[in-house]
């Protein structure tokens, strides 16, 4: 059992939990992920690590309320326990030889970009960060990023906070202005990562993306997380989750990620019905 | 006077049309009378050919004799003196190619139903004897077992009985390995596996789940920092193979490992679990092994109307147990043997756009040529014989290649070109001192009983290694 020691609601759709998991905390590296299960009947949910504290023995996860499991997770509180918390899984972000990096986070991806930016920054790498959100109310982790990079650019789609535009708008400006990066790391919705790659391509900057495909075991057994990289089949859980953005078949990934969508929507609905019925039973 | 019936006493089973809609065990087991009757078919041969066919050396004529005498507990003791998990092997062993293939009765008629009798004895013991497992006195030595499948469980049990302090490290949330994620409930009830794991705990074995070795801890840390004097690696099969044909990226294509794990380990067949499973009307399972049979029979039980096995060789070449093939046929699975997929075709929606989901599988007919390296006749495509099967799900059951996590994080641990751990002449010592291995991690995909045999052998080798240190 893994205790929740801190809970923070970052915005209406994104929640942070700090989990006591000393074995995982001891080994975690930026870019890796964990798999958790709330209870016996729950799904195995893969989440990229949002931070870790080796001394306290804790790992932070930050997640968006999108499905059954994440919604249930957001209802849990400090002092509650998760049944399973497995990790660290996948390969860490490659940092060797990097002297300057641009880390890009979109929406929830921002949370995952944070430990990567911090990792680079702590290692003395010149680090620029571009984060993008739909609007002002959804901005998260701004203060944390300020201490984890050299230049922080916050973008909102509607211009309700800081600069108006997408993360790619800013990336384009920086590259055109002559900024040189050894690597760009993009973490966020698949379409955003796809467009970051397109933006970076004319400038010839290496570009890595962090993928979050369907997954069960996270150890290379189920093959659910297979992605097409450079025309070869790769498994995100053991070969990734970060890959060369120029080689990833994003359309294939988006398509496969939709495999269980209808079913998950139905399950969420059924659960709600069950909850509603429970509520009615209690009233009667 | 032995029972000279030419056929095995039939195994009572659920009716095919009933069982293909539920996940309860297919074969319900012999009664006492059936077991005694079947046991009386044994000739108690002096030269005991059956024993030579058993990877764990069960003294078969001895335990069968005890059944004839009605002393089922004595029969259990005979079996468990060499086989720690008879309720499991009695259900999943390919007896027809092992013990039963050597049975003298089998020369002219059907062999003695050794597997069925083994299962009877194990079940009788579980139902009638309250086992008092006592934790043996500790010998002060610590051993780590990585993986809790058949090889790991067997190795841990044998070492614990010798007084070793054993810790099992399992990556999944439940111990049992392929016995819980792969083999379905209707073939091996999970309560049986759980019972065996509980017995290990009673023997003092520490079972740690959620531990992905090579990631959370390395083999070096186990040995250098945590005081384990030896490590057994039984991490099993790994990455599933795909065919590398067009359309494998479509939604609705998955590996048998994924499909079975969702259903078995994560109980996708029970409504109260949150696990999504592909909801299929028509399914093609590609492959001819036990895993393919498990996958197709699960698909039928999950409500698919049409389920096909697509296998590139003929039925005689299928690696699956005969019983599984028979059961699958009875349950309404259609066999497309001598057929091989060449493309998976995506659907087109009402708006004329691709749906991104499987709509059909294009296969080509095959014929058998000369034997290949495996000794089986090589399948060759028949030109121009392509045909289309309309399916919404394709499950690949083509085998696996070993998991890379341990070998890539353990310096000095060598593997062959297929990624299997290299072992010495004893079959279980790896290229690293104090590190032993067995099961699919060494052999590539094989059987539960061979893994159990390797676990047993490794326990003896580990004991010898530590005692001589």
């Amino acid at each position: 059992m893994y205790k929740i020691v801190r809970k923070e609601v970052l915005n209406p759709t994104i929640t942070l939990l700090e989990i006591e998991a000393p074995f995982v905390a001891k080994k975690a590296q930026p870019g890796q992920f964990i798999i958790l299960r709330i209870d016996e009947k729950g799904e195995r949910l893969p989440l990229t690590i949002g931070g870790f504290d080796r001394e306290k023995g804790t790992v932070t996860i930050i997640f968006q309320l999108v499905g059954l499991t994440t919604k249930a997770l957001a209802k849990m509180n400090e002092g509650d326990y998760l049944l399973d918390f497995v990790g660290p899984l996948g390969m860490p972000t490659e940092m060797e030889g990097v002297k300057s990096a641009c880390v890009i986070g979109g929406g929830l991806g921002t949370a995952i970009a944070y430990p990567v930016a911090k990792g680079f920054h702590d290692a003395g790498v010149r680090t620029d960060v571009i984060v993008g959100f739909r609007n002002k109310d959804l901005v998260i982790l701004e203060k944390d990023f300020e201490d984890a990079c050299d230049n922080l650019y916050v973008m909102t789609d509607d211009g309700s906070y800081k600069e108006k535009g997408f993360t790619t708008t800013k990336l384009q400006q920086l590259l055109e202005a002559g900024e040189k990066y050894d690597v760009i790391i993009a973490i966020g919705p698949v379409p955003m990562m796809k467009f970051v790659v397109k933006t970076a391509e004319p400038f010839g900057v290496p570009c890595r993306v962090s993928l979050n495909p369907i997954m069960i075991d996270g150890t290379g057994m189920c093959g659910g997380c297979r992605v097409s990289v450079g025309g070869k089949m790769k498994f995100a859980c053991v070969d990734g989750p970060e890959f060369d953005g120029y080689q990833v078949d994003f359309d294939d990934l988006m398509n496969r990620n939709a495999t269980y969508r209808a079913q998950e929507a139905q399950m969420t609905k059924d659960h709600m019905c069950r909850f509603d019925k429970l509520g009615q039973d209690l009233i009667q | 006077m032995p029972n000279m019936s030419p056929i095995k006493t039939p195994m009572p089973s659920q009716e095919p049309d009933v069982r293909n809609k539920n996940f309860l065990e297919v074969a319900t087991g012999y009664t006492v009378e059936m077991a005694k009757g079947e046991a009386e078919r044994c000739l108690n041969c002096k030269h005991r050919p059956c024993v030579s066919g058993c990877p764990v050396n069960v003294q078969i004529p001895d335990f069968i004799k005890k059944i004839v005498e009605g002393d089922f507990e004595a029969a259990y003791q005979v079996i468990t003196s060499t086989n720690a998990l008879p309720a499991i092997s009695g259900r999943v062993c390919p007896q027809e190619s092992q013990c039963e293939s050597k049975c003298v009765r089998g020369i002219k008629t059907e062999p003695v139903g050794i597997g069925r009798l083994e299962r009877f004895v194990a079940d009788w013991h579980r139902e009638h004897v309250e086992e008092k497992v006592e934790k043996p006195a500790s010998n002060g030595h610590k051993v780590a077992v990585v993986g809790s499948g058949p090889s790991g469980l067997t190795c841990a049990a044998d070492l614990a009985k010798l007084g070793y302090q054993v810790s099992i490290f399992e990556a999944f949330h439940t111990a049992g390995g392929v016995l819980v994620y792969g083999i379905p409930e209707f073939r091996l009830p999970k309560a049986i596996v759980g019972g065996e794991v509980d017995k290990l705990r009673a023997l003092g074995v520490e079972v740690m789940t959620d531990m992905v070795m090579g990631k959370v801890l390395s083999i070096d840390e186990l040995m250098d920092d945590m005081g384990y004097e030896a490590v057994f690696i039984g991490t099993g099969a790994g990455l599933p193979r795909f065919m590398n044909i067009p359309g494998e990226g479509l939604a609705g294509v998955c590996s048998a490992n994924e499909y079975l794990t969702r259903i078995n380990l994560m109980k996708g067949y029970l409504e109260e679990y949150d696990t999504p499973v592909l909801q299929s009307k028509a399914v093609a399972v590609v492959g001819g092994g036990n895993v393919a049979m498990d996958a197709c029979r699960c698909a039928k039980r999950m409500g698919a109307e049409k389920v096909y096995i697509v296998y590139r060789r003929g039925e005689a070449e299928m690696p699956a147990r005969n019983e599984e093939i028979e059961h699958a046929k009875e349950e309404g699975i259609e066999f497309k043997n001598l057929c091989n997929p060449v493309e998976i075709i995506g659907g087109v929606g009402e708006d004329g756009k691709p749906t991104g989901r499987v709509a059909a599988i294009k296969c080509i007919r095959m014929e058998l040529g000369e034997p290949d390296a495996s000794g089986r006749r090589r399948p060759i495509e028949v030109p121009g014989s392509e045909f289309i099967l309309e399916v919404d799900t394709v499950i690949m059951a083509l085998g696996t290649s070993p998991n890379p996590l341990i070998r890539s994080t353990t310096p000095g641990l060598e593997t062959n070109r297929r990624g299997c751990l290299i072992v010495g002449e004893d079959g279980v010592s790896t290229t690293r001192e104090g590190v032993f291995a067995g099961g699919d991690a060494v052999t590539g995909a094989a059987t539960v009983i061979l893994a159990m045999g390797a676990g047993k052998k490794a326990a003896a080798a580990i004991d010898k290694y530590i005692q001589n240190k």
Side-chain angles (χ1 to χ4, degrees), chain B residues 104-141:
Chain B
V104 170
R105 291 295 302 265
I107 298 168
K108 286 194 177 146
T109 63
E110 284 191 0
V112 175
I114 299 169
R116 294 172 181 183
L117 290 174
E118 181 182 45
R119 169 185 164 167
F120 166 79
V121 168
D123 288 356
W124 188 91
H125 171 85
R126 200 173 62 250
E127 282 156 25
H128 293 89
V129 180
E130 200 179 325
E131 206 169 333
K132 281 194 224 84
V133 181
E134 272 173 40
K135 194 179 157 182
S138 169
N139 67 8
H141 298 285

Tab-separated table of all heavy atoms in Angstrom, chain B residues 104-141:
chain	number	residue	atom	x	y	z
B	104	VAL	N	2.635	-47.744	-21.697
B	104	VAL	CA	2.540	-49.000	-22.446
B	104	VAL	C	1.106	-49.229	-22.942
B	104	VAL	O	0.889	-49.716	-24.049
B	104	VAL	CB	3.028	-50.167	-21.559
B	104	VAL	CG1	2.724	-51.504	-22.207
B	104	VAL	CG2	4.525	-50.032	-21.298
B	105	ARG	N	0.127	-48.834	-22.146
B	105	ARG	CA	-1.271	-48.975	-22.589
B	105	ARG	C	-1.525	-48.176	-23.859
B	105	ARG	O	-2.410	-48.496	-24.647
B	105	ARG	CB	-2.243	-48.498	-21.495
B	105	ARG	CG	-2.303	-49.367	-20.251
B	105	ARG	CD	-2.853	-50.763	-20.523
B	105	ARG	NE	-4.179	-50.786	-21.094
B	105	ARG	CZ	-5.304	-50.917	-20.400
B	105	ARG	NH1	-5.262	-51.027	-19.098
B	105	ARG	NH2	-6.470	-50.952	-21.006
B	106	GLY	N	-0.754	-47.103	-24.021
B	106	GLY	CA	-0.951	-46.222	-25.165
B	106	GLY	C	-0.475	-46.814	-26.488
B	106	GLY	O	-0.765	-46.278	-27.555
B	107	ILE	N	0.255	-47.927	-26.441
B	107	ILE	CA	0.762	-48.517	-27.689
B	107	ILE	C	-0.403	-49.011	-28.548
B	107	ILE	O	-0.462	-48.766	-29.743
B	107	ILE	CB	1.751	-49.666	-27.392
B	107	ILE	CG1	2.972	-49.116	-26.635
B	107	ILE	CG2	2.192	-50.350	-28.690
B	107	ILE	CD1	3.869	-50.190	-26.041
B	108	LYS	N	-1.357	-49.686	-27.887
B	108	LYS	CA	-2.470	-50.241	-28.666
B	108	LYS	C	-3.763	-49.477	-28.463
B	108	LYS	O	-4.623	-49.441	-29.344
B	108	LYS	CB	-2.673	-51.707	-28.282
B	108	LYS	CG	-1.576	-52.588	-28.857
B	108	LYS	CD	-1.939	-54.042	-28.769
B	108	LYS	CE	-0.854	-54.897	-29.423
B	108	LYS	NZ	-0.696	-56.176	-28.749
B	109	THR	N	-3.936	-48.862	-27.290
B	109	THR	CA	-5.196	-48.164	-27.018
B	109	THR	C	-4.846	-46.792	-26.447
B	109	THR	O	-3.771	-46.276	-26.686
B	109	THR	CB	-6.050	-48.956	-26.007
B	109	THR	OG1	-5.328	-49.034	-24.773
B	109	THR	CG2	-6.350	-50.342	-26.524
B	110	GLU	N	-5.780	-46.214	-25.703
B	110	GLU	CA	-5.452	-44.920	-25.085
B	110	GLU	C	-4.586	-45.138	-23.856
B	110	GLU	O	-4.781	-46.103	-23.107
B	110	GLU	CB	-6.735	-44.183	-24.687
B	110	GLU	CG	-7.436	-43.572	-25.877
B	110	GLU	CD	-8.560	-42.617	-25.468
B	110	GLU	OE1	-8.811	-42.419	-24.266
B	110	GLU	OE2	-9.182	-42.071	-26.380
B	111	PRO	N	-3.640	-44.228	-23.616
B	111	PRO	CA	-2.799	-44.378	-22.424
B	111	PRO	C	-3.620	-44.129	-21.158
B	111	PRO	O	-4.754	-43.641	-21.229
B	111	PRO	CB	-1.749	-43.283	-22.603
B	111	PRO	CG	-2.406	-42.261	-23.466
B	111	PRO	CD	-3.324	-43.024	-24.381
B	112	VAL	N	-3.027	-44.444	-20.017
B	112	VAL	CA	-3.671	-44.131	-18.736
B	112	VAL	C	-3.771	-42.603	-18.619
B	112	VAL	O	-2.851	-41.882	-19.013
B	112	VAL	CB	-2.839	-44.710	-17.564
B	112	VAL	CG1	-3.428	-44.292	-16.221
B	112	VAL	CG2	-2.747	-46.223	-17.676
B	113	GLY	N	-4.877	-42.111	-18.089
B	113	GLY	CA	-5.073	-40.661	-17.926
B	113	GLY	C	-4.276	-40.141	-16.743
B	113	GLY	O	-4.831	-39.798	-15.698
B	114	ILE	N	-2.975	-40.080	-16.911
B	114	ILE	CA	-2.090	-39.734	-15.789
B	114	ILE	C	-2.357	-38.308	-15.299
B	114	ILE	O	-2.463	-38.062	-14.099
B	114	ILE	CB	-0.599	-39.898	-16.205
B	114	ILE	CG1	-0.330	-41.355	-16.600
B	114	ILE	CG2	0.328	-39.456	-15.075
B	114	ILE	CD1	1.019	-41.586	-17.269
B	115	GLY	N	-2.510	-37.380	-16.245
B	115	GLY	CA	-2.762	-35.990	-15.867
B	115	GLY	C	-4.060	-35.852	-15.082
B	115	GLY	O	-4.129	-35.143	-14.073
B	116	ARG	N	-5.091	-36.548	-15.558
B	116	ARG	CA	-6.389	-36.463	-14.876
B	116	ARG	C	-6.297	-37.024	-13.466
B	116	ARG	O	-6.917	-36.525	-12.538
B	116	ARG	CB	-7.437	-37.232	-15.683
B	116	ARG	CG	-7.708	-36.576	-17.026
B	116	ARG	CD	-8.593	-37.436	-17.908
B	116	ARG	NE	-8.791	-36.763	-19.193
B	116	ARG	CZ	-9.561	-37.241	-20.165
B	116	ARG	NH1	-10.197	-38.389	-19.996
B	116	ARG	NH2	-9.704	-36.568	-21.285
B	117	LEU	N	-5.504	-38.093	-13.314
B	117	LEU	CA	-5.345	-38.693	-11.990
B	117	LEU	C	-4.533	-37.772	-11.074
B	117	LEU	O	-4.833	-37.642	-9.886
B	117	LEU	CB	-4.665	-40.066	-12.113
B	117	LEU	CG	-5.545	-41.145	-12.755
B	117	LEU	CD1	-4.744	-42.421	-12.976
B	117	LEU	CD2	-6.780	-41.435	-11.895
B	118	GLU	N	-3.532	-37.148	-11.656
B	118	GLU	CA	-2.723	-36.219	-10.857
B	118	GLU	C	-3.604	-35.083	-10.334
B	118	GLU	O	-3.561	-34.709	-9.162
B	118	GLU	CB	-1.578	-35.646	-11.698
B	118	GLU	CG	-0.698	-34.693	-10.903
B	118	GLU	CD	0.424	-34.083	-11.737
B	118	GLU	OE1	0.174	-33.640	-12.877
B	118	GLU	OE2	1.546	-34.038	-11.236
B	119	ARG	N	-4.418	-34.556	-11.229
B	119	ARG	CA	-5.328	-33.483	-10.825
B	119	ARG	C	-6.290	-33.972	-9.739
B	119	ARG	O	-6.548	-33.267	-8.756
B	119	ARG	CB	-6.119	-33.009	-12.052
B	119	ARG	CG	-7.254	-32.093	-11.643
B	119	ARG	CD	-8.151	-31.692	-12.781
B	119	ARG	NE	-9.383	-31.141	-12.208
B	119	ARG	CZ	-10.268	-30.472	-12.891
B	119	ARG	NH1	-10.083	-30.241	-14.163
B	119	ARG	NH2	-11.364	-30.020	-12.295
B	120	PHE	N	-6.826	-35.200	-9.924
B	120	PHE	CA	-7.767	-35.729	-8.934
B	120	PHE	C	-7.133	-35.753	-7.541
B	120	PHE	O	-7.723	-35.329	-6.551
B	120	PHE	CB	-8.223	-37.139	-9.332
B	120	PHE	CG	-8.918	-37.864	-8.208
B	120	PHE	CD1	-10.248	-37.597	-7.909
B	120	PHE	CD2	-8.222	-38.775	-7.415
B	120	PHE	CE1	-10.874	-38.234	-6.843
B	120	PHE	CE2	-8.833	-39.401	-6.343
B	120	PHE	CZ	-10.177	-39.136	-6.052
B	121	VAL	N	-5.906	-36.265	-7.497
B	121	VAL	CA	-5.210	-36.405	-6.211
B	121	VAL	C	-4.992	-35.024	-5.566
B	121	VAL	O	-5.241	-34.825	-4.372
B	121	VAL	CB	-3.864	-37.138	-6.405
B	121	VAL	CG1	-3.008	-37.039	-5.152
B	121	VAL	CG2	-4.113	-38.594	-6.773
B	122	ALA	N	-4.550	-34.066	-6.378
B	122	ALA	CA	-4.279	-32.725	-5.848
B	122	ALA	C	-5.571	-32.077	-5.348
B	122	ALA	O	-5.598	-31.449	-4.286
B	122	ALA	CB	-3.631	-31.867	-6.929
B	123	ASP	N	-6.658	-32.240	-6.117
B	123	ASP	CA	-7.938	-31.639	-5.718
B	123	ASP	C	-8.486	-32.316	-4.462
B	123	ASP	O	-9.024	-31.667	-3.567
B	123	ASP	CB	-8.956	-31.751	-6.858
B	123	ASP	CG	-8.632	-30.806	-8.012
B	123	ASP	OD1	-7.673	-30.018	-7.875
B	123	ASP	OD2	-9.337	-30.860	-9.040
B	124	TRP	N	-8.326	-33.645	-4.412
B	124	TRP	CA	-8.817	-34.388	-3.242
B	124	TRP	C	-8.092	-33.898	-1.988
B	124	TRP	O	-8.712	-33.639	-0.963
B	124	TRP	CB	-8.588	-35.896	-3.437
B	124	TRP	CG	-9.251	-36.705	-2.359
B	124	TRP	CD1	-10.505	-37.233	-2.370
B	124	TRP	CD2	-8.684	-37.034	-1.072
B	124	TRP	NE1	-10.774	-37.865	-1.195
B	124	TRP	CE2	-9.671	-37.759	-0.370
B	124	TRP	CE3	-7.457	-36.785	-0.463
B	124	TRP	CZ2	-9.466	-38.242	0.923
B	124	TRP	CZ3	-7.251	-37.258	0.830
B	124	TRP	CH2	-8.242	-37.979	1.509
B	125	HIS	N	-6.803	-33.741	-2.122
B	125	HIS	CA	-6.005	-33.270	-0.987
B	125	HIS	C	-6.474	-31.882	-0.556
B	125	HIS	O	-6.664	-31.607	0.630
B	125	HIS	CB	-4.527	-33.238	-1.367
B	125	HIS	CG	-3.657	-32.579	-0.339
B	125	HIS	ND1	-3.160	-33.254	0.745
B	125	HIS	CD2	-3.230	-31.297	-0.219
B	125	HIS	CE1	-2.452	-32.424	1.492
B	125	HIS	NE2	-2.472	-31.227	0.929
B	126	ARG	N	-6.680	-30.997	-1.523
B	126	ARG	CA	-7.063	-29.619	-1.194
B	126	ARG	C	-8.416	-29.582	-0.488
B	126	ARG	O	-8.645	-28.793	0.414
B	126	ARG	CB	-7.096	-28.771	-2.471
B	126	ARG	CG	-6.992	-27.286	-2.203
B	126	ARG	CD	-6.850	-26.463	-3.471
B	126	ARG	NE	-7.994	-26.607	-4.334
B	126	ARG	CZ	-7.993	-27.245	-5.497
B	126	ARG	NH1	-6.880	-27.782	-5.942
B	126	ARG	NH2	-9.077	-27.349	-6.226
B	127	GLU	N	-9.313	-30.483	-0.914
B	127	GLU	CA	-10.660	-30.462	-0.341
B	127	GLU	C	-10.760	-31.205	0.988
B	127	GLU	O	-11.657	-30.943	1.775
B	127	GLU	CB	-11.654	-31.068	-1.348
B	127	GLU	CG	-12.009	-30.088	-2.456
B	127	GLU	CD	-12.473	-30.807	-3.733
B	127	GLU	OE1	-12.951	-31.948	-3.628
B	127	GLU	OE2	-12.322	-30.213	-4.819
B	128	HIS	N	-9.874	-32.154	1.207
B	128	HIS	CA	-10.049	-33.020	2.382
B	128	HIS	C	-8.994	-32.885	3.461
B	128	HIS	O	-9.212	-33.330	4.578
B	128	HIS	CB	-10.103	-34.496	1.949
B	128	HIS	CG	-11.321	-34.823	1.154
B	128	HIS	ND1	-11.364	-34.701	-0.216
B	128	HIS	CD2	-12.561	-35.225	1.528
B	128	HIS	CE1	-12.566	-35.030	-0.649
B	128	HIS	NE2	-13.316	-35.347	0.389
B	129	VAL	N	-7.860	-32.345	3.134
B	129	VAL	CA	-6.785	-32.324	4.128
B	129	VAL	C	-6.451	-30.890	4.501
B	129	VAL	O	-6.174	-30.063	3.632
B	129	VAL	CB	-5.510	-33.021	3.570
B	129	VAL	CG1	-4.389	-32.992	4.599
B	129	VAL	CG2	-5.838	-34.447	3.164
B	130	GLU	N	-6.561	-30.617	5.767
B	130	GLU	CA	-6.152	-29.287	6.205
B	130	GLU	C	-4.649	-29.324	6.434
B	130	GLU	O	-4.161	-29.948	7.382
B	130	GLU	CB	-6.878	-28.886	7.480
B	130	GLU	CG	-6.854	-27.387	7.655
B	130	GLU	CD	-7.584	-26.966	8.913
B	130	GLU	OE1	-8.600	-27.614	9.262
B	130	GLU	OE2	-7.126	-26.020	9.555
B	131	GLU	N	-3.944	-28.671	5.507
B	131	GLU	CA	-2.496	-28.806	5.524
B	131	GLU	C	-1.897	-27.901	6.592
B	131	GLU	O	-2.220	-26.723	6.657
B	131	GLU	CB	-1.944	-28.430	4.151
B	131	GLU	CG	-0.649	-29.093	3.846
B	131	GLU	CD	-0.272	-28.903	2.387
B	131	GLU	OE1	-1.160	-28.729	1.536
B	131	GLU	OE2	0.927	-28.919	2.120
B	132	LYS	N	-1.058	-28.473	7.402
B	132	LYS	CA	-0.361	-27.639	8.375
B	132	LYS	C	1.040	-27.379	7.843
B	132	LYS	O	1.910	-28.226	7.925
B	132	LYS	CB	-0.285	-28.330	9.738
B	132	LYS	CG	-1.591	-28.217	10.513
B	132	LYS	CD	-1.368	-28.603	11.954
B	132	LYS	CE	-2.470	-29.512	12.460
B	132	LYS	NZ	-2.322	-30.925	12.181
B	133	VAL	N	1.204	-26.209	7.232
B	133	VAL	CA	2.528	-25.895	6.705
B	133	VAL	C	3.342	-25.285	7.834
B	133	VAL	O	2.921	-24.316	8.453
B	133	VAL	CB	2.430	-24.893	5.534
B	133	VAL	CG1	3.814	-24.593	4.974
B	133	VAL	CG2	1.526	-25.446	4.448
B	134	GLU	N	4.456	-25.887	8.097
B	134	GLU	CA	5.295	-25.322	9.150
B	134	GLU	C	6.522	-24.677	8.555
B	134	GLU	O	7.136	-25.215	7.639
B	134	GLU	CB	5.693	-26.412	10.147
B	134	GLU	CG	4.650	-26.547	11.239
B	134	GLU	CD	4.921	-27.726	12.132
B	134	GLU	OE1	6.110	-27.967	12.448
B	134	GLU	OE2	3.943	-28.400	12.504
B	135	LYS	N	6.825	-23.518	9.081
B	135	LYS	CA	8.000	-22.813	8.593
B	135	LYS	C	9.243	-23.557	9.081
B	135	LYS	O	9.431	-23.751	10.278
B	135	LYS	CB	7.966	-21.380	9.153
B	135	LYS	CG	8.928	-20.465	8.456
B	135	LYS	CD	8.839	-19.072	9.026
B	135	LYS	CE	10.156	-18.374	8.736
B	135	LYS	NZ	10.219	-17.047	9.278
B	136	PRO	N	10.085	-23.999	8.146
B	136	PRO	CA	11.273	-24.747	8.565
B	136	PRO	C	12.244	-23.836	9.312
B	136	PRO	O	12.202	-22.617	9.157
B	136	PRO	CB	11.896	-25.209	7.241
B	136	PRO	CG	10.926	-24.844	6.173
B	136	PRO	CD	10.037	-23.787	6.706
B	137	ALA	N	13.112	-24.442	10.107
B	137	ALA	CA	14.126	-23.658	10.816
B	137	ALA	C	15.041	-22.988	9.794
B	137	ALA	O	15.422	-23.609	8.797
B	137	ALA	CB	14.945	-24.577	11.718
B	138	SER	N	15.358	-21.727	10.050
B	138	SER	CA	16.161	-20.975	9.086
B	138	SER	C	17.602	-21.464	9.076
B	138	SER	O	18.170	-21.794	10.116
B	138	SER	CB	16.130	-19.494	9.451
B	138	SER	OG	17.096	-18.800	8.690
B	139	ASN	N	18.196	-21.512	7.878
B	139	ASN	CA	19.622	-21.845	7.812
B	139	ASN	C	20.478	-20.580	7.700
B	139	ASN	O	21.679	-20.647	7.507
B	139	ASN	CB	19.918	-22.820	6.662
B	139	ASN	CG	19.696	-22.193	5.293
B	139	ASN	OD1	19.458	-20.990	5.182
B	139	ASN	ND2	19.768	-23.005	4.259
B	140	GLY	N	19.802	-19.418	7.773
B	140	GLY	CA	20.528	-18.154	7.832
B	140	GLY	C	20.970	-17.582	6.499
B	140	GLY	O	21.646	-16.561	6.462
B	141	HIS	N	20.581	-18.235	5.388
B	141	HIS	CA	20.993	-17.746	4.070
B	141	HIS	C	19.800	-17.134	3.334
B	141	HIS	O	18.696	-17.652	3.398
B	141	HIS	CB	21.571	-18.883	3.226
B	141	HIS	CG	22.803	-19.492	3.818
B	141	HIS	ND1	24.027	-18.870	3.781
B	141	HIS	CD2	22.992	-20.668	4.477
B	141	HIS	CE1	24.930	-19.643	4.381
B	141	HIS	NE2	24.319	-20.731	4.813
